[in-house]
Amino acid sequence: MRLVTEDLSWISKIQVNQPAVLRRAQQIQARRTVKKEWQAAWLLKAVTFIDLTTLSGDDTFSNIQRLCYKAKYPIREDLLKALNMHDKGITTAAVCVYPARVCDAVKALKAVGCNIPVASVATGFPAGQTHLKTRLEEIRLAVEDGASEIDVVINRSLVLTGQWEALYDEIRQFRKACGEAHLKTILATGELGSLTNVYKASMIAMMAGSDFIKTSTGKETVNATFPVAIVMLRAIRDFFWKTGNKVGFKPAGGIRSAKDSLAWLSLIKEELGDEWLKPELFRIGASSLLTDIERQIYHHVTGRYAAYHDLPMS
């Protein structure tokens, strides 16, 4: 159902209490993390939420192949055996690549017998400053090539100038172009100007049919932060209370350490509950995070930190 302008008039009245959000963010960052076997269990869970990502200008079939192998085998088997987790089928949630590399990823995953989804960025990633017709065609081509998840970027200028109806219409068109593929909408929150705009953009994206809302492209100066996440998670909760529809959340950009991943899992558990702690509703966009998680697992099992040559690269 298409929303008319009157339905969006309430958006302009929304205000976010920034000091309260910042206080909540400080509480999260000050909290002590879980230790020992509890930490190992949470870190293995974190692996299953990772969209293992490569978005580089020098991507080739060979490094897409390595990425897909790592997605299928994210933690060394001997480490999983030591934890009695070798038969649990632990993989990352997806691999995420540029549209031109989707065919490579589909082929590489098939070669290793892995059926995890291929996610593709689209719509003029990362800036979103291309013609709408081009952005829509990019989605359709990625889906044709085998992407089952599409990470689109919004036109930030529509948020900054308060054109909520136009933003809604664009995302509806993205939704239609995706067909059966999941739509993950990147808000690029570091470029939206205020937490109030982050909340408004989150609501519009969900109303327009997004399956996930995502913090960042990873290419902005400011990427996934706790204040932004709190605002987006509260928007997801409000949307669920109003509609009964669960929308997923994906922080991305700057999440590099195992400790970071534990803080994000804890935040999701506290703000949205255990129902959201599954790959269908929570993802972490990352390229180097998995390396540090595997190092921490190695340390838990062996009592020492791995040298770089001890762990396979992705």
Side-chain angles (χ1 to χ4, degrees):
M1 182 185 73
R2 187 179 181 280
L3 297 183
V4 293
T5 306
E6 298 90 85
D7 293 324
L8 296 179
S9 60
W10 58 274
I11 284 282
S12 62
K13 299 171 187 172
I14 291 170
Q15 288 294 326
V16 169
N17 184 341
Q18 184 169 331
V21 171
L22 296 177
R23 280 196 302 274
R24 173 76 176 114
Q26 285 172 344
Q27 287 173 356
I28 297 156
Q29 289 166 302
R31 190 164 299 150
R32 293 183 67 188
T33 188
V34 290
K35 299 293 183 185
K36 297 187 179 178
E37 65 271 13
W38 295 104
Q39 184 182 78
W42 274 71
L43 289 176
L44 288 178
K45 194 170 183 67
V47 169
T48 67
F49 298 133
I50 294 175
D51 280 1
L52 195 58
T53 302
T54 181
L55 296 168
S56 300
D58 59 356
D59 284 339
T60 62
F61 177 67
S62 61
N63 70 300
I64 297 295
Q65 204 173 23
R66 284 201 307 274
L67 186 86
C68 291
Y69 187 87
K70 190 65 177 173
K72 165 78 170 173
Y73 304 106
I75 306 292
R76 250 175 45 177
E77 190 176 5
D78 60 317
L79 301 177
L80 291 176
K81 280 182 177 175
L83 297 168
N84 198 28
M85 295 292 287
H86 58 286
D87 56 352
K88 304 299 182 190
I90 291 174
T91 66
T92 65
V95 295
C96 184
V97 297
Y98 274 120
R101 302 264 72 95
V102 169
C103 283
D104 291 344
V106 170
K107 184 178 176 182
L109 285 171
K110 189 176 180 183
V112 294
C114 186
N115 61 0
I116 66 171
V118 173
S120 171
V121 295
T123 64
F125 180 95
Q129 296 283 5
T130 54
H131 292 295
L132 179 59
K133 185 178 178 181
T134 307
R135 286 182 277 154
L136 293 170
E137 186 63 14
E138 194 172 35
I139 293 173
R140 286 189 281 265
L141 290 171
V143 172
E144 264 179 44
D145 285 345
S148 52
E149 299 180 357
I150 304 293
D151 289 34
V152 302
V153 289
I154 64 168
N155 182 344
R156 277 77 104 185
S157 69
L158 298 178
V159 176
L160 295 170
T161 55
Q163 297 182 66
W164 304 113
E165 178 82 0
L167 179 63
Y168 175 86
D169 286 342
E170 278 203 358
I171 298 173
R172 286 298 294 170
Q173 291 181 70
F174 296 162
R175 171 72 274 166
K176 186 177 179 183
C178 282
E180 295 296 310
H182 280 111
L183 173 64
K184 306 212 285 284
T185 301
I186 307 169
L187 303 183
T189 54
E191 297 177 349
L192 296 188
S194 71
L195 291 177
T196 295
N197 277 347
V198 169
Y199 184 93
K200 291 176 180 179
S202 298
M203 291 302 287
I204 293 292
M206 291 186 286
M207 290 161 66
S210 302
D211 296 296
F212 271 76
I213 53 175
K214 177 177 170 182
T215 60
S216 325
T217 65
K219 308 289 186 182
E220 295 95 52
T221 309
V222 179
N223 293 291
T225 66
F226 288 126
V228 156
I230 290 162
V231 171
M232 292 175 71
L233 293 173
R234 298 283 170 92
I236 288 171
R237 193 167 68 189
D238 291 347
F239 187 75
F240 174 63
W241 285 345
K242 287 172 183 172
T243 68
N245 295 327
K246 293 178 181 175
V247 175
F249 175 67
K250 179 179 173 180
I255 304 173
R256 297 187 180 91
S257 73
K259 186 179 178 182
D260 288 342
S261 71
L262 294 176
W264 284 100
L265 264 67
S266 178
L267 178 63
I268 299 300
K269 183 178 175 68
E270 290 181 17
E271 291 290 331
L272 295 176
D274 289 336
E275 293 172 82
W276 260 264
L277 277 176
K278 53 187 178 182
E280 293 79 14
L281 290 169
F282 177 54
R283 300 287 181 83
I284 300 172
S287 51
S288 57
L289 171 63
L290 181 56
T291 303
D292 193 54
I293 288 178
E294 192 172 22
R295 286 186 76 242
Q296 297 302 325
I297 296 289
Y298 185 99
H299 180 266
H300 175 75
V301 170
T302 67
R304 60 184 178 84
Y305 284 107
Y308 284 107
H309 61 264
D310 286 325
L311 300 174
M313 61 188 286
S314 58

